[in-house]
Amino acid sequence: MRFMVLVKATRDSEAGVMPGEKLLADMGRFNEELVNAGVMQAGEGLQPSSKGARVRFSGKDRTVTHGPFPQTDELVAGFWVWKCASLQEAIDWIKRCPNPMEGDSDIEIRQIFESEDFGEAFTPELREQEDRLRAKVAQQNPQSKP
């Protein structure tokens, strides 16, 4: 199973406050454990929402809103993609994680859909297209292979 692990934003992360050397070192060690265990497939920190935008879809209309966005508790400051045997395994890893922020913080864990989760609606032709696209992405980004 794959999981997206979302590090929720805080007022400090949204203000662009960068982590200190100790936190960077602690997170580096944790990431190394994840990689060595074969769990981590990707992971990145995100710039504050002031450097981003949202696009709202309403029928054929698209409305763009530039950041910053007011609801800090709904924003994401970083993420990992992990491969774990279960949600409980992902939770166990998170319990070992250094606090990613200087103060209180939250991390959300969400299972990623796999092809088989879509049932009959995901036809053999759509599966073939998905496989072809994934192969092309892997070819274009060889450094991001787990």
Side-chain angles (χ1 to χ4, degrees):
M1 293 178 210
R2 292 181 307 141
F3 295 90
M4 176 157 275
V5 181
L6 305 164
V7 178
K8 301 303 280 246
T10 64
R11 286 187 183 157
D12 282 349
S13 68
E14 275 297 289
V17 175
M18 298 302 288
E21 182 180 345
K22 181 180 181 338
L23 180 55
L24 289 172
D26 290 346
M27 289 304 287
R29 281 189 291 279
F30 179 67
N31 285 337
E32 190 167 10
E33 286 182 51
L34 292 168
V35 169
N36 290 340
V39 171
M40 186 169 159
Q41 296 190 324
E44 302 292 340
L46 301 175
Q47 295 278 346
S49 69
S50 60
K51 296 184 176 186
R54 286 184 178 158
V55 180
R56 177 160 177 76
F57 290 71
S58 180
K60 293 184 179 186
D61 295 330
R62 308 294 186 262
T63 305
V64 177
T65 304
H66 292 274
F69 306 119
Q71 298 290 24
T72 301
D73 61 334
E74 295 178 5
L75 301 174
V76 176
F79 70 91
W80 287 283
V81 175
W82 291 355
K83 187 173 183 178
C84 297
S86 66
L87 174 60
Q88 187 58 54
E89 181 185 354
I91 292 168
D92 292 343
W93 275 105
I94 286 298
K95 287 181 175 180
R96 297 172 54 188
C97 180
N99 184 350
M101 302 293 175
E102 295 296 332
D104 292 347
S105 65
D106 291 303
I107 295 179
E108 182 177 336
I109 305 168
R110 303 278 300 275
Q111 189 172 346
I112 297 172
F113 277 113
E114 301 294 345
S115 299
E116 53 274 4
D117 296 325
F118 293 102
E120 292 179 17
F122 201 50
T123 65
E125 294 80 16
L126 292 173
R127 287 177 192 270
E128 183 180 310
Q129 178 188 37
E130 179 75 10
D131 291 343
R132 190 173 60 251
L133 292 173
R134 286 185 185 275
K136 188 170 185 175
V137 167
Q139 182 182 31
Q140 291 172 344
N141 302 295
Q143 73 280 3
S144 67
K145 289 182 183 174

